[in-house]
Amino acid sequence: MQQDDKSIKAENFFNKLFPSRNITRVLLVTPPDADETLFRFDTAKRKRYTNYPPYGLLLIARVLEALAIKVEICNLNFEILQECRNSKSEKVFNHVDVWQRKLDQKLKDFSPDFVGVTCMFT
């Protein structure tokens, strides 16, 4: 496939995805650091997991804001750790439920035109 064909294909794809080409609201998401099988409630409760700011997403957000795009960041790792610390017991804490509920709420409240998700590994 020639480069022009690839460009046309890409252009058609983005025209379908964003017909008006007007993105005004972007949600940037940091997923949990680990899935529920690796998460240890007692470790999180003792505040022994790392919880770094999503520096890369903050840089991207700053560039988008300079272009007059509204940006919000949803740090699901932070949300899980906070919910764990606030939980009375491991029995009432549900790792998957926490991040899904928080992400659903953010999508509903912010209603982004575009969602970007960062990851370190597959």
Side-chain angles (χ1 to χ4, degrees):
M1 186 179 284
Q2 291 182 352
Q3 184 60 35
D4 289 337
D5 291 341
K6 288 181 181 180
S7 298
I8 292 168
K9 244 181 136 173
E11 184 74 23
N12 290 336
F13 172 78
F14 285 113
N15 284 336
K16 282 183 189 176
L17 198 56
F18 306 107
S20 68
R21 290 293 180 105
N22 190 19
I23 296 174
T24 60
R25 301 167 77 76
V26 173
L27 176 64
L28 300 174
V29 180
T30 300
D33 281 355
D35 69 19
E36 68 277 7
T37 62
L38 299 174
F39 186 81
R40 297 293 171 253
F41 181 86
D42 59 326
T43 303
K45 197 74 167 162
R46 288 182 284 124
K47 300 180 182 180
R48 301 308 302 164
Y49 278 124
T50 57
N51 188 19
Y52 298 110
Y55 184 70
L57 292 186
L58 292 167
L59 293 175
I60 292 169
R62 181 64 190 107
V63 171
L64 293 173
E65 287 170 345
L67 297 171
I69 296 173
K70 292 180 183 176
V71 181
E72 287 197 13
I73 294 176
C74 181
N75 185 342
L76 294 174
N77 189 58
F78 169 80
E79 297 292 350
I80 286 171
L81 294 174
Q82 183 177 39
E83 188 98 8
C84 177
R85 285 186 215 118
N86 294 333
S87 293
K88 299 291 182 194
S89 72
E90 189 170 0
K91 290 180 183 178
V92 297
F93 176 78
N94 184 313
H95 182 279
V96 175
D97 178 62
V98 171
W99 74 260
Q100 288 179 349
R101 185 171 27 86
K102 297 290 184 175
L103 182 57
D104 285 346
Q105 191 63 50
K106 183 60 85 172
L107 289 167
K108 181 182 171 193
D109 292 346
F110 187 58
S111 189
D113 301 313
F114 184 85
V115 177
V117 181
T118 187
C119 68
M120 291 285 284
F121 307 99
T122 58

